[in-house]
Amino acid sequence: VQLVESGGGSVQSGGSLRLSCVASGYTGSNFRMGWVRQAPGKEREAVALIDTAGSTTYADSVKGRFTISQDNTKNTLYLQMNSLKPEDTAMYYCAAGARYSIAAYLTYPSAFAHWGQGTQVTVSS
């Protein structure tokens, strides 16, 4: 499974960005997908996840501001980020896994089996 992210950048507080992740190298739709971020000196944090039925879950820190979605015809995962805050600054990774529920991945993001290379998001105040 290959995951390639894009869409990161630098924005001011209150701005918006949309991240994309193109997935390839697998067949079927068995994977739970998610966005995981990591800021320097901090642990990985799963922020938004989606399962094979389209159900979603979010970290409390981004609820109401971030929206995860996917276009199965394009094998692409999205993360729409609105009302960005300086504390959202991090490297954002697309991740995929088939073993656990999205609730489990929310708590244990390192359990994801497949990862992209990451895209940097920087929010200035």
Side-chain angles (χ1 to χ4, degrees):
V1 177
Q2 292 81 46
L3 304 171
V4 179
E5 305 97 332
S6 62
S10 296
V11 295
Q12 290 191 328
S13 183
S16 297
L17 284 173
R18 188 176 81 155
L19 307 183
S20 300
C21 170
V22 178
S24 62
Y26 67 96
T27 58
S29 57
N30 245 2
F31 287 93
R32 292 72 162 176
M33 305 289 293
W35 290 96
V36 179
R37 68 186 181 187
Q38 188 166 24
K42 295 189 176 181
E43 292 188 357
R44 286 174 174 172
E45 177 189 24
V47 295
L49 302 101
I50 189 166
D51 70 11
T52 55
S55 296
T56 59
T57 190
Y58 297 90
D60 288 343
S61 58
V62 307
K63 277 181 183 175
R65 300 188 298 121
F66 290 11
T67 302
I68 189 171
S69 62
Q70 59 187 11
D71 184 339
N72 291 326
T73 65
K74 298 180 179 179
N75 286 340
T76 302
L77 181 74
Y78 301 100
L79 183 67
Q80 178 66 44
M81 304 185 294
N82 298 328
S83 302
L84 283 161
K85 304 175 181 180
E87 51 263 44
D88 294 318
T89 295
M91 186 72 78
Y92 283 72
Y93 298 91
C94 175
R99 188 168 184 179
Y100 303 110
S101 69
I102 54 174
Y105 286 123
L106 183 68
T107 305
Y108 304 106
S110 293
F112 275 117
H114 307 283
W115 295 81
Q117 82 288 351
T119 186
Q120 178 68 36
V121 172
T122 302
V123 185
S124 58
S125 57

